[in-house]
Each structure stands twice: as structure tokens, then as C-alpha cells.
């Protein structure tokens, strides 16, 4: 496999030197050659000479529109070039990027940068809805907890429990694709629900000896258990190292960059990490393109984000 093309900041600005270049890129991604009315879907469209108030006018519904109309971009006044730069920054930073840094580099307030990043992350939330097949690793982990409680947490750790932390459960298949979600607890019903949603019936599931997985065989899966406490890490080539290395990346990002992720927003960051992980092979432009594709029909309001 050839190495995916990673764009430098210099190359980014050569590709998108101004707002016009950014707009044309968004338009080509969303429409191809032909503008489509964001209000009614008509392709009977006229281009407005001075682009005011918007670049296009629909001959059917007579409304003006732009590439933003009907997308998450519609309620933002931020130039499209800044949207692209924000996506680019989120793409390039493997461990994520704090909103203070994004604000500085984009020349916007921290609040604007935070909202921008959250709206971009929102496009990454949805996993493909097919089931994973073959042999896969399923594991759960704890993320978060307040800094001042860290030591207490360690002492309070009883078995798998950890005070003030959030549970994340994930699966990684043979191709390295990871899907992970925040769940409310590590009970068997919760973990089984995750497995049923993401793993094809009859597939081979490798887990450790956590009791939450005890019924997987009865649920129709080929279940392989690795006993970590007995020093057993690999059994017949089955292991859970892949998903565990994903957890350690997620936690390094948490500790090193975000410092504090509220439980409310943690699932977005989990999706950010898994989306970036799963798209590592498609290069910077592939990643930007896929994000814009997903933006096209997403509407997320500030209110929805705060209450959601
Ligand atoms: Zn129209």
C-alpha cells in the first residue's frame, strides 16, 4: 500500500490560497459540476453576477443559496477557508488539538473555535451501520475522572470499577477498523448490546475474562477468552492488543491535550479518535473530503450541542 499523502501547512495554503478556492472546493465536493438548490433540490440554477447576497439563484423556488445552504455551515459566518483550516488542523493532530490553539491559529475566539471543532466532530459521530465480521477484539476501558481524584481513584479501584470515570467499549476487527462508544456501565446487558450492534452473529469475539462477556457464546458468537491475570496474552494468535493500543492513544490524547473531557462530550472525542484512526490510510485530502461529504446533510445547532 502506498503511503497516504500528508499535506503540510504550506501545501494546504497553496491549495486553498483564498476564500474563492475554498468555496470552489466545497462546491465540487457537494455538487460535482452542477449547483443544486439547497432549498428545493432543483438544478435549474442561475449564477448571480456579484454573488450577492449569495452566489446562486434557483429558477424554480426563486430563492438564493450557497454551498452552505441546508448544511451545518449555513448558520456560520466564518469563511469557508477557516472551516477547511480547522478540519485540516483536526486531521493533522493525531492526539487532537485544544480549542485555545485552534482559536489562535484561525484568529477567532476560543468559543468560536470550540463550537467549530464540535461541529466538525459531529460529522464523525456516525459509524457505518453494517456489522463487522471475522475475528475481532472487544474490550472496555475507563476514561476521565477529575485530576485531583486521580490518586484516590487508584486506591478506590475495586476490580474493574473506578470512581468518577466513564466507560468506553470498543471493537477492533482484523483490518484494524475501530468502533467505540461511551456506555453507562460494564454490565453484561450493556456490553452484549454493543456486541450485537456492531458484530455479526457467529463472528469470533476475543475478550479478556471480564464477566460482562460471559454469555457471548450463548448469544451465538464464537467467544475466545484471554486471561490477563494468569499472564496469558496470546492464545492461538488471538489477543486484545489492538484495541488496547487504541485505548492508550485515546488516553494519551485525554491526558496530554484535553486535560478534562466532560462525560457529556467524551463520546464526541472517542469518535474523533476512531474516525482519525480508521481513516489513517486515506491521506489528508481524503480525510478532509470525507468530512465535507458528511457535513453536507448535517444540521447541528449551538443549542442542540449544549443540550445534547
Ligand atoms: Zn430551489
Amino acid at each position: 500500500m502506498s503511503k497516504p499523502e500528508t499535506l503540510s501547512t504550506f501545501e494546504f495554503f497553496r491549495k486553498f490560497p483564498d476564500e474563492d478556492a475554498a468555496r470552489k472546493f466545497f462546491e465540487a465536493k457537494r455538487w460535482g459540476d452542477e449547483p443544486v438548490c439547497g432549498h428545493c433540490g432543483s438544478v435549474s440554477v442561475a449564477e448571480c453576477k456579484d454573488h450577492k447576497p449569495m452566489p446562486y439563484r434557483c429558477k424554480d423556488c426563486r430563492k438564493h443559496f450557497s454551498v452552505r445552504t441546508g448544511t451545518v455551515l449555513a448558520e456560520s459566518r466564518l469563511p469557508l477557508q477557516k472551516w477547511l483550516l480547522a478540519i485540516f488542523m483536526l486531521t493533522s493532530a493525531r492526539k487532537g488539538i485544544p480549542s485555545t490553539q485552534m482559536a489562535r491559529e484561525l484568529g477567532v475566539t476560543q468559543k468560536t473555535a470550540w463550537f467549530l471543532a464540535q461541529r466538525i466532530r459531529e460529522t464523525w459521530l456516525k459509524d457505518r451501520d453494517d456489522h463487522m465480521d471475522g475475528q475481532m477484539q472487544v474490550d472496555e476501558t475507563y476514561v476521565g475522572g477529575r485530576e485531583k481524584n486521580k490518586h484516590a481513584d487508584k486506591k478506590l479501584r475495586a476490580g474493574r470499577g473506578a470512581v468518577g470515570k466513564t466507560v468506553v467499549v470498543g471493537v477492533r476487527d482484523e483490518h484494524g477498523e475501530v468502533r467505540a462508544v461511551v456506555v453507562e456501565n460494564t454490565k453484561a446487558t450493556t456490553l452484549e448490546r454493543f456486541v450485537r450492534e456492531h458484530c455479526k452473529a457467529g463472528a469470533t469475539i476475543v475478550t479478556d475474562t471480564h464477566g460482562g462477556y460471559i454469555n457471548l457464546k450463548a448469544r451465538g458468537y464464537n467467544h475466545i477468552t484471554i486471561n490477563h491475570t494468569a499472564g496469558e496474552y496470546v492464545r492461538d494468535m488471538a489477543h486484545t492488543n489492538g484495541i488496547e493500543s487504541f485505548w492508550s492513544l485515546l488516553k494519551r490524547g485525554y491526558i496530554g491535550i484535553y486535560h478534562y473531557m466532560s462525560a457529556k462530550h467524551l463520546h464526541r472525542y472517542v469518535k474523533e479518535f476512531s474516525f482519525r484512526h480508521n481513516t489513517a490510510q486515506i491521506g489528508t485530502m481524503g480525510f478532509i473530503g470525507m468530512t465535507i461529504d458528511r457535513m453536507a446533510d448535517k444540521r447541528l445547532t449551538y443549542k442542540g450541542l449544549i443540550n445534547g
Side-chain angles (χ1 to χ4, degrees):
M1 195 181 293
S2 65
K3 204 175 175 301
E5 186 212 1
T6 307
L7 223 58
S8 67
T9 307
F10 179 78
E11 288 164 324
F12 173 88
F13 282 109
R14 207 156 57 175
K15 250 182 168 40
F16 307 109
D18 52 31
E19 183 61 7
D20 214 38
R23 177 180 63 84
K24 283 182 177 143
F25 181 75
F26 271 93
E27 291 184 355
K29 282 305 296 174
R30 186 163 179 210
W31 297 324
D33 298 334
E34 196 175 39
V36 180
C37 173
H39 302 289
C40 74
S42 167
V43 291
S44 182
V45 167
E47 187 164 354
C48 306
K49 275 206 182 69
D50 59 0
H51 280 201
K52 280 174 184 156
M54 290 200 180
Y56 304 102
R57 188 176 57 82
C58 175
K59 291 177 183 169
D60 283 325
C61 73
R62 294 164 184 265
K63 288 179 185 161
H64 286 85
F65 67 93
S66 76
V67 71
R68 297 170 184 256
T69 307
T71 75
V72 68
L73 300 159
E75 59 202 89
S76 158
R77 289 173 180 277
L78 221 55
L80 294 174
Q81 193 192 19
K82 292 197 180 191
W83 274 92
L84 277 179
L85 182 56
I87 299 170
F88 171 76
M89 288 173 76
L90 288 168
T91 310
S92 322
R94 273 192 85 217
K95 287 196 249 165
I97 198 156
S99 57
T100 45
Q101 187 187 341
M102 185 176 275
R104 272 199 306 278
E105 297 194 26
L106 291 177
V108 299
T109 65
Q110 188 187 345
K111 188 180 169 188
T112 299
W114 180 84
F115 187 33
L116 185 61
Q118 291 300 74
R119 279 194 288 187
I120 292 167
R121 289 188 183 103
E122 177 76 9
T123 67
W124 302 339
L125 284 184
K126 200 178 177 321
D127 287 312
R128 293 210 318 266
D129 49 15
D130 58 338
H131 284 71
M132 293 166 119
D133 201 1
Q135 179 168 309
M136 59 205 86
Q137 311 157 11
V138 173
D139 193 24
E140 80 296 327
T141 194
Y142 289 91
V143 181
R146 274 184 297 176
E147 202 59 40
K148 62 173 184 168
N149 291 340
K150 277 279 158 64
H151 289 290
D153 277 356
K154 270 180 199 149
K155 284 175 203 154
L156 285 170
R157 256 187 105 106
R160 292 238 174 173
V163 176
K165 297 198 170 207
T166 308
V167 187
V168 181
V169 58
V171 53
R172 179 182 168 133
D173 74 4
E174 289 161 301
H175 311 290
E177 183 181 348
V178 168
R179 296 182 193 174
V181 296
V182 173
V183 288
E184 56 275 26
N185 55 51
T186 59
K187 289 178 184 164
T189 47
T190 307
L191 299 177
E192 281 169 22
R193 192 191 328 128
F194 173 82
V195 169
R196 274 200 313 275
E197 273 168 19
H198 295 279
C199 313
K200 197 169 177 177
T204 300
I205 312 281
V206 183
T207 72
D208 56 23
T209 50
H210 186 265
Y213 304 111
I214 205 155
N215 296 321
L216 285 183
K217 203 155 238 159
R219 302 279 179 264
Y221 292 96
N222 178 27
H223 186 203
I224 299 174
T225 320
I226 307 295
N227 188 352
H228 287 178
T229 50
E232 182 185 42
Y233 284 90
V234 179
R235 172 191 282 189
D236 301 333
M237 299 305 284
H239 59 78
T240 53
N241 298 348
I243 188 74
E244 281 162 17
S245 67
F246 178 78
W247 294 149
S248 71
L249 186 69
L250 180 75
K251 288 175 187 183
R252 279 206 302 278
Y254 169 73
I255 293 163
I257 304 284
Y258 294 112
H259 306 293
Y260 177 80
M261 283 182 210
S262 70
K264 196 162 111 182
H265 292 298
L266 180 64
H267 75 284
R268 296 172 191 277
Y269 291 96
V270 169
K271 291 300 178 188
E272 173 181 348
F273 278 86
S274 60
F275 187 77
R276 196 181 287 116
H277 170 91
N278 292 340
T279 52
Q281 300 304 322
I282 62 175
T284 311
M285 289 310 292
F287 187 100
I288 292 174
M290 193 178 279
T291 302
I292 291 172
D293 285 346
R294 285 166 169 239
M295 262 180 190
D297 53 13
K298 269 279 178 188
R299 258 188 106 85
L300 178 70
T301 61
Y302 189 70
K303 212 172 150 228
L305 196 60
I306 297 304
N307 300 331

